[in-house]
Amino acid sequence: MNKRLSSFFVYTLLTLGALAMVFPFVWMILTSLKSFQELFELRWLPREPTLENYREVLFGTQFPRWFLNSLVVASLTTVSVLFFDSLVGYTLAKLRFPGKNLIFVTILATLMVPTEMLIIPWYVMSVDYGWVNTFWGILFPGLLSAFGVFLMRQFFESLPSDLLDAGRIDGLSEFGVFWRVAFPLVRPALAALGIFTFLGNWNAFLWPLVIIQTPEMRTLPVGVALFSGEAGTAWHLIMAASSLAVIPVLIVFFIFQRQIIEGVVLTGVKG
Amino acid sequence: MLRSFIHARALWVSLLAFGLMSAQAQVTITYWQYDFKSKIEAIDELIKRFEAANPGIKVVHQTFPYDAYQQKVGSSIPAGQGPDVVNLFYGWLPTWVKAGYLVPLPESLINPKQIDSEFVSMAQSAKIDGKYYGLPTAVRSLALFYNKDLFQQAGIGKPPKTWAEFIEAGKKLTVKQGDRYTQIGYGISPDGQDHHLVREVLLRQMGGRPYSDDGRKVLFGGPEGLKAFTMYTDWVKKHGIGIPNFFPGNNGYRDGFIAGKIGMIIDGSFAIGTIRSGAKFNWGVAELPLEKAGGRKANFGSFWLHGITPLAKGPKLEASVKFLNFITSAEAQRYWLEKVGELPARKELIKDPKLSLDPVYGPFILSLSYAKATPFVDEAAQRTVIVNAINRVLLQNMDPAQSWKMAAEEEQKILDGFYK
Amino acid sequence: MKRFQLSLAAREALWAYTFLLIPLAFFLFIRIWPAFQALWLSLYDWNADPSKRVFVGLEHYAQMAQDPLLARSLRNTLLYTLIGVPAQLVLGLGIALLLNAVTRERLRDVFRAIYFAPYVTPAVAVAWVFSWMLSANFGVVNELLRLLGLPAQDFLRNPSLALPTVTAVVVWQNLGFQVVLFLAGLQNIPRDYYEAARIDGADDWRLFRHITLPLLNPVMVFSAVIGTIGFLQLFTQVVNLSFTDQGGPLHSTLTVALYIYQQAFGRFDLGYAAAITVLLFGIILLITLVQLRLLSRRVEY
C-alpha cells in the first residue's frame, strides 16, 4: 500500500515536471499557427490554423540561408574538432616525447579563460586580417576544443598498447596507426564529442553576433534574434522561425538520444 | 606570415578588380543604412533609377540591424572596408565627426549657401563649424495617431486638443477585465518616442528649455521640467490611461495600436508606412495636444542624413557626391514621401498646400514649422537617462521630483564627459 | 648516399611534434596569445582609429572602481549564480531521485529524454518563446495564474522580479543536463551499500545522507563548477528576453558579460571592456578554485 502510494507520488511529480518541460514547445508551435491578429485574442488553440507564417519565414526572409550558414559552420567545426582533438588526445596518451606534460597542462589551462576575454582580441585580429563577416571569421575560434582534447586523451589512455604495436609491426606509419587502428576504436567518445560540438556551434550566439555584418551571413540564432527590428516585433514570424530552428534539433536529439546522454555521462561522471 | 599572405591575396584581388573596373570605366560605391523595410525598398528603387541615369556607377546597398549599426560603422571605417556613403541619425553627428568617420561635403560640388536656402532650417543641425557633413532626404516630427473606430465606440467626437481632453479620452478608451487591461487609451512607451515627448515637447510647452544654447548645460531639471515629467507619469499613476509594456516586444506600443487594442499613440512620421500597411480600421492623425487652448506649441524634429566617409576618394568621391545629390533631390524626396511616409526636407515640397492639407501628412507638416532638433552628444546614453527616470516612477514608485533630479544630474555628467 | 638514421625514440618524438604542430599553433594563437592581448589592450584607450590609440596604464582599472553600472552588473551576476546554481542542483537531484525510483526502464528513458530536450534547444529561441509567454497582458503564464485565482505579474518588466525570472528560464533550460548527470551518478552506486546499511537498521534519510550524498560528491562538484561558469558568463538569455532594453528594466538584469559587450561593441570602448574581462577572468578563477577546494573535500563514510 505504502509502496503504491509512493509510486503514485513519484509518477505525479514526474508528469507535472515533464509538462513544464514540454509546455513551452507546444505553446511555441501553437502560436506559430496563428495569424498576427489572432495572437492577441488569448485563445489557446488557433481559431484558423495557418501555415502562412512558415511560408513567409521560408520564402519571405533569408531564413533558409541562415539555416544553411549554421549547418556549414557547425559541420566544419565538428569535423575539425573530431579530427584534431583526437589526434592531440592520442598523441598525449600514447606517444612518448619530451615536453608532453607541459603541453597537456598548457592546453588544459586555456579552459580557465572566459570567452568574453578572448572576444575583443579575436575581434581586433579579425579586423586586421579581414576576417570580419566571413565563414572563417565565424568558425575559427571553435576549430579545436581543449575540453575535447582532455576527453579524447582519457579514452585513448584506456586503449591497450598491444593493439597499436600490432599495427606498427604490420608496417603502418605512426599516422596510419592512429587513423586506421586507434581512431575507429574510440567511436563512442567521438559520437559524444561530435554531437556536443555540433550543438554548441549550432546554438552559438555571442561571437557570431559580433563578427557577422550582413544579413546573408547570419547564423540561425543571430537571424532569429534580429527578427524584431525598429518596425516592431513580428511574434507570429518569430514563433514560426523558432519552431523551424528547434524542431530539427529535437528530431536529431530523439534519434541519437542514447549516444547524447551517454556522452553527458561520460564527460561528467567518468571524465 | 599568414598576414602577408592575406595581404598579398587582397592586393591581387584588388588589382584584378581594378583591372576590370578600368576596362569598363566603372566605379562601385557602397551605401549603408539600418534595417527598416520600407527604407530598404525605397533605396533599392532609387539606386535602380540612379544607375540607369549614371551608367558608369554601381551602388552596393548594405543594411544592418539598428542595434548593431553604430558598432558596424565604428569598426569598419577604420579598417578601410566600410561604406562610402552612410546614413546616420543627426544626434550621432558630433561623435562621428569627432571620431573621423565623416568628411565635410566638398563645397566645390555642393554649395552650402544653396542648402541653407533650399532645405528646412532643421537641416542646419548637419553643419559643424560652418561645414555641412551630410544632407537629409526626409525629416520627421511627432503627432498623435488615433483609432477612429474606437473613438466612435467610446463616443468621442474629435481628437483631443489639450492634455486634459487627452486624459478624458484616454479614460474612456481604457477597458479593464478584472486586473487585466484588454484595451488601453494611450500606448505609453518610455523607450519608444516618449523620452523625446517629455524632454523636448512637454517641457517646452510648459515654457522650459532642455539645454543651454551651447548645449553644455542641462536645464530640464527646473520646475517646468518637473511639471512636464509629473504630468506624463500621472497618465499612468493617477489617471490609468495606459500601462507600460502593455504589448510585449520592440515598439509594442505601435504593434498594439495596429492590432486595434490601443486608442492613441504618439509616434513619428516614419511610422505612417507601417501603420498604413498593418492597421485594419479607420485611423487619423492630429497635431500634438497643448497644455491649454492657445498654449505654446512645441514639437521634436529629427532626421537621418547621408554623409560621406573618408573611404570615398578620387572617382569614388565624385560618384558618392553624385549619388548623395540624387537621393536628396526633389524627385527622390517626393518618392520617399510616398514610399516611406517621411516628410521631404526641401522647403519647396513642404510648401505644397496639397501636403499640408493632407489628413495624414498635414499635422506632421504643420508641426515642422515649430519643431526643434536638439543636439545630442551620446544619444543612446542620454535616452537611457530619461527612460530610467520614467521607469523609476512607473515601475518602482519613486517620487517624480527625486527621479527627475537624478536624471538631470546623470545627464549633466554625460555632457561634462563629452566636453571635458 | 647514406640514409639519415634516427633512433626509435627520436622518431616517435618527431611524429608527436608533427601531430601537435597545427593544434598547438591554434591554442597558442587563438587561445593563449589573445588572453595576454586582452591584458595589454586593457592598458590602452583603444579607439577604432589607430592614430587615436593612447596608452593609459591602469586608468581603466581605476575607472572600474568608480563605475556604478559595473558594480550593478557584478552584483546581478553574483545573484544569478547564487540563486541559479543551488536551484539547478537541488531540482536536478530531486528529479534524478524520482527518476531513479521508476522501475520501468522504458518509461524512465522517455522521462529522461523529455527533461533533457530543453538543453539541446537554441537559447535564443527559448528566450523569445519565454518573453512571449511571460508577457503581463498577453502571456499564457499570467493566464494560468488567473485561472488559479492568483494576481498577474509583469515578470520581465518588474525590476524586482526580472532577475529571478531570467534565472528561472536559464534553470529550466539547464535542468536536464543536471538530471542526466545525477541519474548516472545514482546508478553507479552499488546496491550492496544500501542493503548492508539497511541490515544495520538505517532509515531512508540516513541512507540518503550517508551513502547517496557522499557518493554523488564528484558529480556535484562537476555540476556546480560547470553551472557557476555558465551563470558567470550569462549573456544570450538576458539579451533576448528584453531586446530593446537589454539588461533592463533599470539595469536589473544586466550581467557582466552583457556590460562588456555593450562597452566594447556599443560604445566601442575596447580598452575599458578588456579591463573588465580581466576582472571577470580573475573572479572565475577565484570562484572555481574555492569551489574545487570546498566541494571536493572527501567526506568519510
Side-chain angles (χ1 to χ4, degrees), chain A residues 166-180:
Chain A
R168 292 194 181 99
I169 291 164
D170 285 351
L172 290 173
S173 69
E174 277 301 326
F175 184 75
V177 173
F178 160 69
W179 187 242
R180 300 261 189 86

Side-chain angles (χ1 to χ4, degrees), chain A:
Chain A
M1 182 59 214
N2 196 0
K3 198 140 214 182
R4 277 176 95 184
L5 193 72
S6 77
S7 100
F8 172 76
F9 177 70
V10 165
Y11 284 111
T12 312
L13 276 182
L14 280 176
T15 309
L16 280 178
L19 281 178
M21 292 290 130
V22 170
F23 183 74
F25 293 104
V26 174
W27 189 247
M28 171 181 79
I29 292 167
L30 284 179
T31 310
S32 73
L33 299 172
K34 294 177 180 170
S35 68
F36 177 73
Q37 302 292 331
E38 216 186 307
L39 282 186
F40 303 101
E41 289 175 13
L42 286 171
R43 198 183 290 272
W44 288 73
L45 293 173
R47 186 159 31 95
E48 292 164 26
T50 169
L51 289 175
E52 179 59 26
N53 301 330
Y54 288 91
R55 203 192 59 81
E56 196 169 340
V57 166
L58 286 174
F59 302 107
T61 72
Q62 287 175 306
F63 187 90
R65 172 71 203 250
W66 303 337
F67 198 93
L68 199 71
N69 290 344
S70 279
L71 203 62
V72 169
V73 168
S75 309
L76 287 178
T77 38
T78 306
V79 169
S80 166
V81 162
L82 287 183
F83 177 74
F84 283 115
D85 278 11
S86 39
L87 187 61
V88 178
Y90 170 79
T91 311
L92 291 175
K94 287 297 175 195
L95 296 184
R96 274 155 305 174
F97 57 94
K100 186 157 124 174
N101 279 334
L102 177 72
I103 290 175
F104 181 56
V105 170
T106 310
I107 293 177
L108 268 195
T110 64
L111 277 175
M112 294 308 295
V113 183
T115 326
E116 286 77 14
M117 191 169 177
L118 302 176
I119 272 185
I120 296 167
W122 284 342
Y123 181 72
V124 170
M125 192 192 261
S126 303
V127 169
D128 281 353
Y129 296 154
W131 297 347
V132 174
N133 206 33
T134 61
F135 275 119
W136 172 255
I138 303 171
L139 60 82
F140 82 85
L143 288 175
L144 269 102
S145 121
F147 187 71
V149 167
F150 176 72
L151 184 72
M152 294 316 292
R153 178 177 164 275
Q154 301 285 94
F155 269 88
F156 282 113
E157 252 173 2
S158 65
L159 281 191
S161 291
D162 308 355
L163 273 175
L164 310 179
D165 288 336
R168 292 194 181 99
I169 291 164
D170 285 351
L172 290 173
S173 69
E174 277 301 326
F175 184 75
V177 173
F178 160 69
W179 187 242
R180 300 261 189 86
V181 183
F183 193 74
L185 289 174
V186 289
R187 215 172 271 155
L190 287 174
L193 180 61
I195 288 162
F196 275 99
T197 310
F198 189 90
L199 281 176
N201 284 287
W202 179 267
N203 296 343
F205 182 64
L206 177 54
W207 175 245
L209 180 70
V210 168
I211 197 73
I212 294 167
Q213 295 207 316
T214 52
E216 71 273 8
M217 286 305 290
R218 283 177 202 161
T219 55
L220 208 55
V222 177
V224 171
L226 298 177
F227 239 104
S228 129
E230 214 206 7
T233 308
W235 287 106
H236 52 314
L237 297 186
I238 286 179
M239 292 301 148
S242 296
S243 305
L244 286 171
V246 167
I247 291 167
V249 181
L250 287 185
I251 291 175
V252 171
F253 165 65
F254 280 106
I255 295 174
F256 294 105
Q257 212 212 102
R258 207 162 279 274
Q259 286 88 336
I260 293 175
I261 286 173
E262 263 168 35
V264 178
V265 174
L266 286 174
T267 54
V269 180
K270 299 183 181 145

Side-chain angles (χ1 to χ4, degrees), chain A residues 36-37 40-42 123 126-132 136 208-216 218 226 228-235, chain B residues 2-3 6-7 32 34-36 62-66 71-72 75-76 79 81 180 247-251 254-255 258-259 261 274 278 280:
Chain A
F36 177 73
Q37 302 292 331
F40 303 101
E41 289 175 13
L42 286 171
Y123 181 72
S126 303
V127 169
D128 281 353
Y129 296 154
W131 297 347
V132 174
W136 172 255
L209 180 70
V210 168
I211 197 73
I212 294 167
Q213 295 207 316
T214 52
E216 71 273 8
R218 283 177 202 161
L226 298 177
S228 129
E230 214 206 7
T233 308
W235 287 106
Chain B
L2 188 57
R3 187 178 202 161
I6 286 165
H7 280 176
W32 276 17
Y34 75 100
D35 287 339
F36 194 94
Q62 289 174 341
T63 63
F64 306 94
Y66 182 79
Q71 172 222 323
K72 298 301 178 196
S75 55
S76 306
Q81 43 176 262
R180 199 183 79 208
F247 251 52
N250 276 345
N251 297 312
R254 197 181 297 145
D255 290 340
I258 291 171
K261 309 267 180 200
T274 316
K280 302 204 164 43

Side-chain angles (χ1 to χ4, degrees), chain B residues 71 98 181 245 250 378 388, chain C residues 52 137 157 244 265 267:
Chain B
Q71 172 222 323
K98 207 175 173 185
Y181 289 85
N245 201 33
N250 276 345
D378 183 347
N388 283 353
Chain C
K52 289 184 180 155
N137 260 277
R157 299 303 299 169
T244 30
F265 303 106
R267 281 182 202 291

Side-chain angles (χ1 to χ4, degrees), chain C residues 46 79 163 264 271 282 296:
Chain C
W46 194 263
L79 267 175
L163 188 142
S296 59

